[in-house]
Structure formats: C-alpha cells, structure tokens
Amino acid sequence: MSGVIVSMRRTLLSCTSLARNGLLGGALAALLPAAPAEAADFIDTLSIMLDFNRQELAVLATALALLGFSVVAAILLMRTRVRTAKNEARLRARVRELQLQSDRFGALLFAEPQILISWPAGDNRAQISGDIALVLPRDPTPQRVLAFGTWLPPEPALQMDHAVDALRERGDGFQMTLTTAHGHTLEAIGRAIGGQAIVRIRELSGLRRDLAETNLRYKALSDETEMLRGFATAAPWPIWAKSENGALTFANPAYVRATEASSVADAQERKLELLDSADRTAMERGLKDAANFTSRLPIVIGGERRIYDVRAVNVGSGSVGVAIDASEADGLSSALVRMAEAHRRTLDQLSSGVAVFDGQRRLAFYNDSYRRLWDLDRTFLDAHPDDSSVLDQLRAGRKLQEQPDFRTWKAKLHEAYRAVEAAKDTWYLPDGRAISVVTTPNPEGGVTYLFDDVTESLQLARRFDGMLRVQRETLDSLAEGVAVFGSNGKAQLFNPAFVRMWKLSSDAMRDEPHIQTVEGWCHQLFDEPAVWRQIREAITTIENRADVPLKLERKDGSVLDGMIRPLPDGATMLTFQDITDTENVERALRERNEALETADQMKVDFVHHVSYELRSPLTTIIGFAHFLSDPSTGPLTPKQAEYLDYVTKSTNALLALTNNILDLATIDAGAMKLELGPVDVSKTIELAAEGIQDRLATDRIRLKVEIAPDVGNFVGDEKRVVQVLYNLLANAVGFSPQDSTVGISARRTERSVVFTVTDSGPGIPADMKDKVFNWFESRSQGSRHRGAGLGLSLVRSFVELHGGKVRVDSIVGRGTVVICDFPTDQAAHRDAAE
C-alpha cells in the first residue's frame, strides 16, 4: 500500500506545474463540498491519511477528475458509434428495398414498348427512357425522338410540337392518337406530374388499337353525319326519314314548310304527311316489295298544286325520302308532247312524202302523201316495218329503179343512220317519175326520209338549164352571197355562198320563200328590226329604188358588207360579202395597240408604286426580325429562334424575289439605267462567289475559277454583272450533284469579255432550252433549291441591256454550259441602240 501511495505521490509531483496554473485546483474545488469549513477539514484529514500536502492533494483530485471525464467520454463515444452503425445498417437495408422497388416499378412500366420523356421544372433538358426503336428503328440517338417531324407526318408533328409546348408552359395535358410515317399507330399522353412535364408514347395494339380506330371511325362518321344533316337542312327540297313503324324521325326545314308545321316536333306530334293517303300507301307498298319507290306525284304546298319527283329508299330499319320539284320539267314534257303532235299533224298535211324511222330502223311515222307516193298498204305500214323490208317490198313491186347490186345500194342508203348531215338524192323510177329524196339524221337516232315528186320541176329545169347555166355557174363561183327577190317579195335566185352565210337550207330556199320567211330564218344570226325593215321596204317598194349599202355585225361575231341593188325587171338583188377577217384584223390591231399602251402604263405604274407597297413592309419585317435575334432584346427559346430563323430566311427570299421582279419590270418598261464604270473581272467573280459559299459548303460542291491573265477590265455596270454571275452560279449549284465541281471562267476576245459557267447536273432537254430564260420558268427536276424562275430571266435581261448575248449548251445527263458575252465597247452599243 505504501508503494502505491509513493507512486501516486511521484506522479502528482510531476503535475505541480498544472497546479500552479490553477486548473487542477479549480477541478478539485469542484469535487469538494461547497462549505469552506467542511472543505478545509476534509482536506486536512485526507492530507494526514495519505501523507500529502494540500498542493499534492489538489493535483490528485484533478487527475481523478480528468480520469473520470475520459472514462465517461469513452463510454458515450462507444454508445454513439453503436447507434450510428445500427442506423447505417438500417439505411442500407432501406436503400436495397427502394432499389428493388424501383426495379420492380421499372419492369412494370416498360413491360410493353413505350417511351417516357420528362422535363424537370425549370430545366429544358429532356430525360428520355424506354424503347427508342418504337419510333426510330435505325437511329439509336434518344434526343432524335423530340424531332417529331423525323417519324411523324408534317401535320401530326406540328400538333405534337404545340401540345408539348402547351404542356411545358402551362401544364395543359393532352392525349393524341398518332400514325407514324412507317404506319404504326401510337398513343401520346402528356401530363404535368410532381413538378415535371411527362410525355408517354406507346404503341397501340389489341383492344386499345381497336378502340382508337373505332374512335377515329366514330369521328369520321360523326363529321359525315353533320355534313349530311347540314346538306339536308340547307336543301330546298323536302327531305324526311321514317322509322320502321312509319313514324317521322327526321325532317328538314323544307319539309316543315311544305306540311305547314311550326317545327319538326310539331310535324311529329301532329303526324303531318307530305303525301296523301293513296300515294303514301303506294310508297309503302313499293318500299316493301322493291325496297325503293320512285314516282312523279302532285303535291299541294302553300295552296298551290305542283308536280314533284318523289323518291324513297329503305335504309337500315327505316326509310328516307326526298321530293324534288319537277313542275317545270313536267310542263316542258307536256309541251314537247303537244308540239310533237302538232308537228305530226303538220307533216301529215304536206304534199311531200315523209317517213320517219327510229333508231332500230323501224317505221315510226309516215304521212298520207308517202303512202300515196309509193302506193303501199296501210296495214303494212301500221305494222312498223323496218327500213329494209320497205325497200324490199318496193323493189318486189318494181317501183324502184333496177340496181346492179341492190344490197350495196341499200347499204349506201342506210349510211344515213350514221351520218351527221342531211343527204339528198334523186331516184328515177321505172314509171318515168323523178323523186327527190332527202335523208336527214334525227338527233334522237334514226332517219327522216322526205320524198318529193320533182318530175315536173326537172322538166322545167331542163328548159331553163341552158339559159341559167352561165348565170348559175357565175353565181355559184362567187364568194359573195347573192339572192334575188322578185317584186312579190319571194326569192327567185340564190347562190351557195348566201345559204352558207345565213345557215339556210338550200331546199327551203328553192321553194322561193318570202323575204319575211327568210328574215325569220336569219333571226338566229341577225335580228335588228330596223335593218330588216329597210331590206323589206327596198324589195317591195315601187318608188325611190336606189342602191342601199349595208354593214351587218351578226351574233356569231361575223361581219357582212351588203348591198341592196334594184334590177331592171323589178326584182331586187341582195349581195353579202364576209369581211369578218378584215374587221377582226383591224379590231385586233386597235385592241392590241390599246393593250400595249395600257400594259406599258401598267408597267410604269408598277415600277413607281411596288417599292412602296411591297418592299417597305418587307424591309420592316426583316429589320424587326434582326432586332429580335439580337441578344440585347432578351433570350429566345430554341423553338422561337428556329421560327425567327424561318421568318428571316423567308423574308430575305421574298425581298430578293421582289427585287428581281422590280428589276425585270424596270427593264421591260425601259426604265432601267446602267451605272457604267470599269468592271474588275476578278473582283466581280469573287463577289459573286461569296453569295454561294453556304450552298457550296452544304452540298459539298467545289468551285473552280479560271481567269485568263489578260482579261483585265471592261466597261459595264459592276453591280448588275455580279448579279448575273451570282444567278448563274446559284443555278449551277442548285442542279449539280453533291461532291461535284462547278466551274466559272473568264476570257477576253477581240470585242467582248466572255464568262462561262459549267455544271455537271442533269442537263436541259432540247425542248426546254428556249424556255429557261422566260419569266417564272422553273424546273425542279434535279434541283435542290426550287426558285421562282426569275434568275435566268434577269441574266438574259442584264446581259442584253449591256449589248451582250447569252447562250446555253447542254446535253441531258452530262451537264450544262452557260456563256455570257459582255461587249467591251459600251459606247458603240449605245450608238447602235440609238
């Protein structure tokens, strides 16, 4: 025991320095009782027992306090580490559980092919997961899914863009059924969930696909139904639908008005019908027997009896009907029947034999003169024999002249059934009679035969033939139309030119019609009452007979120069000469001159005003587009920047097109003035090539420039020369395939500087070489840059304005060469132009 105390004493002595600092004394004071007297007694007692002085005793107390604190701290540290280890093990187990749960949810989510696209709030970067091959079978890049136009047709792609933008900006959900460019049917659903915009794309199959297709068919049928209902509502004819038991299920406003109902419900409630009971019974019977009904029936509407074509048909479990007003058609039909009967009675009174054969070549009508002419039995004719049977009976009765080949003669006669114009012939019968036969094709089919006994007429004609032959030949050979009317007003003489001019029948004119009759025939071409009254008075008057000149402008556009000339025997001769061509040429020259003056004024007005009406708004749009693209105006979304780029490109293209049209119009109006000066050929080619650098880079096309060392300068408008070369290079690049070469060269000849632009494109067909320089002549075949067709027009205009020429050499499949010659002496060109 004494050894332990000595050891403790030694240790305490080594800590006297700490005691001096008062730290251990403070700790001992904390362990001792609070009362000073008790503390002093306790310390004295302890010092006697341990043989320590008060300082050593203070050090001992401090060491014990430190030892206790260390033990307590170690115990607390161990307990904290144990709790931390348990908490870490619990968290690790929770992480494994959550990972398993996430894997399970992922497996359930992607059990079917689908794509999930999510945008966290405030983040424009989309997170894409799922089966990308669903929409991009050959492209493994997930971000390509957002380029909807690569796997959707244009219209659905635009709808998808708008729907996604609305989802991300305002949280508007959507659900769409899409059909990809490969024919797959997809469903796209967009929702805003947990602060994220999520789009889910999955392929529809099985029941869902059938449901989507059913919805599409339902929408199409609904649209079609609405369209049909709109048509039925707007139709002016009564339209109705009835159920299987005959109850009215639908009626349009025309039906309501026709039945004098106030509404469809009123018509249904009062069971108002458009047809009377007998007609309804007939319609129901027709629908029951033949599933349709068609009839022309009288219907009283608004107190007026009118004729309607009623049509009804069974549809599904009911029927649909319509009544179309046919009153006018019925009246015309009745009038036609009455007119036909009147014509039949009129023909029956004619002395000429008339026989009408229908399209089946059977006798449809004959008059009594026809029967008497051929002495045919009425019973035979009433049996409607065919044309061949009638001719055979006439031949059997030896009433026709003998023919070497009767079959051929009859076949030639029957060609009238296929003819389009009337034909005339004369039959010389065995009994000595001469019969004039006119065969006229009927519009509805068949032929009308007109038989006239012209025996006496032929005899008279033989007597006068010698006397009139010279006169007739003379008149017939005239290009002028000539007709002679006697003092009684009847036509005595006419030539074919007169008949052709007035589209008259030669046979009718041979019947010596009165001038009033001829006037009636001619009204279809010319119906001026004052002129015809002047002609009638000149023919029938006895006094004041003098030449009267005429000039007639007819309805068909022709112009006749006429003359009314009195003859010594009291007759009057009318002559007409067709001067339509002369009048048309004169009129055309006047109109062309007026049109040219008007067009020239329009060109001048166009040049003066189009820059204010078109170029100024375009310049404003371009300026604001540049202002919006400036970063100082604020950031733009990628879609806004894309649209702004489209606006800028389109307005620039439209401004270029406007400038081209203005240049062409200015040149065509003769208002273009060249700003002549020295043109540096090398610099000009360099400036023209700068404008197509982006196209060269995009299409991987090389530009080969060859400039002769002695080309030098020439006098011209440098701006217009650059414009010519730029248009030629742009055209060559547009038609050249990728990885090819476009060449431009310049050389000097004795009187000109020659620019040559070559390409290896598809070439120009021979029939197109003369059209490529026309306005708006654009060929898209083989070109990647479709233009308005003004570039080459400007090329030719500017080159010719310089006094030069443009040539095109091209072989299909081997490229095109365009050669422009600019004269070096502009002064000589201006003198020649003046």
Side-chain angles (χ1 to χ4, degrees), residues 658-737:
T658 303
N659 291 334
N660 289 343
I661 294 176
L662 286 173
D663 289 341
L664 286 172
T666 305
I667 294 172
D668 201 37
M672 175 65 72
K673 300 296 183 181
L674 296 178
E675 298 179 2
L676 300 179
V679 178
D680 188 335
V681 174
S682 299
K683 179 181 177 183
T684 302
I685 293 176
E686 181 180 354
L687 292 175
E690 287 180 0
I692 62 167
Q693 292 301 319
D694 56 340
R695 295 191 186 182
L696 293 175
T698 301
D699 300 330
R700 303 192 304 274
I701 295 177
R702 297 179 300 276
L703 179 63
K704 182 179 180 182
V705 181
E706 295 181 354
I707 303 176
D710 60 342
V711 68
N713 300 337
F714 69 97
V715 177
D717 189 331
E718 183 177 15
K719 177 182 176 182
R720 302 306 180 185
V721 175
V722 171
Q723 195 170 352
V724 167
L725 298 182
Y726 167 76
N727 285 330
L728 291 178
L729 288 174
N731 188 71
V733 171
F735 281 95
S736 296

Side-chain angles (χ1 to χ4, degrees), residues 711 713-716 748-753 822-827:
V711 68
N713 300 337
F714 69 97
V715 177
R748 177 180 287 273
T749 64
E750 182 179 355
R751 298 181 179 179
S752 64
V753 172
F822 286 90
T824 55
D825 190 356
Q826 286 294 318

Side-chain angles (χ1 to χ4, degrees), residues 630-649:
D630 194 329
S632 62
T633 61
L636 299 176
T637 64
K639 187 62 66 177
Q640 291 172 338
E642 180 183 357
Y643 290 162
L644 185 61
D645 185 57
Y646 291 159
V647 171
T648 303
K649 291 181 179 178

Side-chain angles (χ1 to χ4, degrees), residues 535-610:
I535 294 174
R536 289 196 308 270
E537 291 176 354
I539 291 175
T540 58
T541 189
I542 299 177
E543 300 176 353
N544 299 325
R545 294 172 56 82
D547 293 349
V548 179
L550 300 172
K551 187 174 182 180
L552 312 180
E553 295 187 6
R554 301 193 297 181
K555 296 179 180 179
D556 59 356
S558 60
V559 181
L560 301 183
D561 189 6
M563 177 67 70
I564 304 175
R565 178 157 294 171
L567 299 179
D569 59 354
T572 304
M573 181 174 65
L574 297 179
T575 61
F576 296 98
Q577 184 178 4
D578 192 343
I579 60 171
T580 304
D581 294 340
T582 303
E583 286 290 321
N584 288 341
V585 170
E586 183 179 353
R587 187 182 298 114
L589 290 175
R590 287 197 302 268
E591 293 176 353
R592 181 175 179 83
N593 184 57
E594 293 173 358
L596 289 174
E597 292 177 355
T598 304
D600 185 66
Q601 185 61 40
M602 289 176 62
K603 292 175 184 178
V604 173
D605 294 340
F606 176 82
V607 172
H608 288 168
H609 296 95
V610 74

Side-chain angles (χ1 to χ4, degrees), residues 387-627:
D387 198 349
S388 295
S389 299
V390 174
L391 293 177
D392 290 340
Q393 183 162 343
L394 292 177
R395 183 190 182 198
R398 301 186 64 81
K399 297 176 183 179
L400 293 178
Q401 61 188 1
E402 292 295 330
Q403 300 290 340
D405 188 346
F406 183 75
R407 185 187 300 272
T408 303
W409 177 82
K410 185 167 60 173
K412 183 177 181 181
L413 179 64
H414 288 167
E415 289 178 358
Y417 288 93
R418 299 185 297 273
V420 294
E421 295 182 354
K424 183 178 180 181
D425 194 9
T426 303
W427 295 355
Y428 296 94
L429 306 184
D431 59 4
R433 291 182 298 170
I435 305 298
S436 174
V437 182
V438 178
T439 56
T440 304
N442 298 328
E444 66 275 8
V447 172
T448 297
Y449 289 93
L450 182 63
F451 299 95
D452 282 316
D453 188 345
V454 295
T455 305
E456 186 177 356
S457 300
L458 289 177
Q459 292 174 354
L460 293 175
R462 292 189 190 99
R463 295 177 186 176
F464 289 97
D465 182 65
M467 182 180 61
L468 298 178
R469 184 175 299 165
V470 175
Q471 181 183 17
R472 172 57 61 187
E473 291 295 332
T474 302
L475 290 177
D476 289 349
S477 61
L478 290 177
E480 297 182 0
V482 179
V484 178
F485 291 84
S487 57
N488 59 357
K490 293 186 177 181
Q492 296 179 343
L493 187 65
F494 65 92
N495 68 345
F498 180 83
V499 174
R500 290 194 302 271
M501 282 183 182
W502 292 101
K503 297 182 180 179
L504 303 175
S505 169
S506 299
D507 295 333
M509 289 298 295
R510 290 191 185 96
D511 293 337
E512 298 184 358
H514 194 270
I515 180 60
Q516 289 184 341
T517 304
V518 176
E519 176 186 346
W521 294 341
C522 297
H523 271 183
Q524 60 179 342
L525 293 175
F526 185 77
D527 58 357
E528 290 290 337
V531 176
W532 284 114
R533 183 172 61 252
Q534 186 180 18
I535 294 174
R536 289 196 308 270
E537 291 176 354
I539 291 175
T540 58
T541 189
I542 299 177
E543 300 176 353
N544 299 325
R545 294 172 56 82
D547 293 349
V548 179
L550 300 172
K551 187 174 182 180
L552 312 180
E553 295 187 6
R554 301 193 297 181
K555 296 179 180 179
D556 59 356
S558 60
V559 181
L560 301 183
D561 189 6
M563 177 67 70
I564 304 175
R565 178 157 294 171
L567 299 179
D569 59 354
T572 304
M573 181 174 65
L574 297 179
T575 61
F576 296 98
Q577 184 178 4
D578 192 343
I579 60 171
T580 304
D581 294 340
T582 303
E583 286 290 321
N584 288 341
V585 170
E586 183 179 353
R587 187 182 298 114
L589 290 175
R590 287 197 302 268
E591 293 176 353
R592 181 175 179 83
N593 184 57
E594 293 173 358
L596 289 174
E597 292 177 355
T598 304
D600 185 66
Q601 185 61 40
M602 289 176 62
K603 292 175 184 178
V604 173
D605 294 340
F606 176 82
V607 172
H608 288 168
H609 296 95
V610 74
S611 60
Y612 295 97
E613 299 296 332
L614 188 57
R615 189 187 294 178
S616 297
L618 283 176
T619 305
T620 302
I621 294 172
I622 293 173
F624 276 108
H626 284 301
F627 175 76

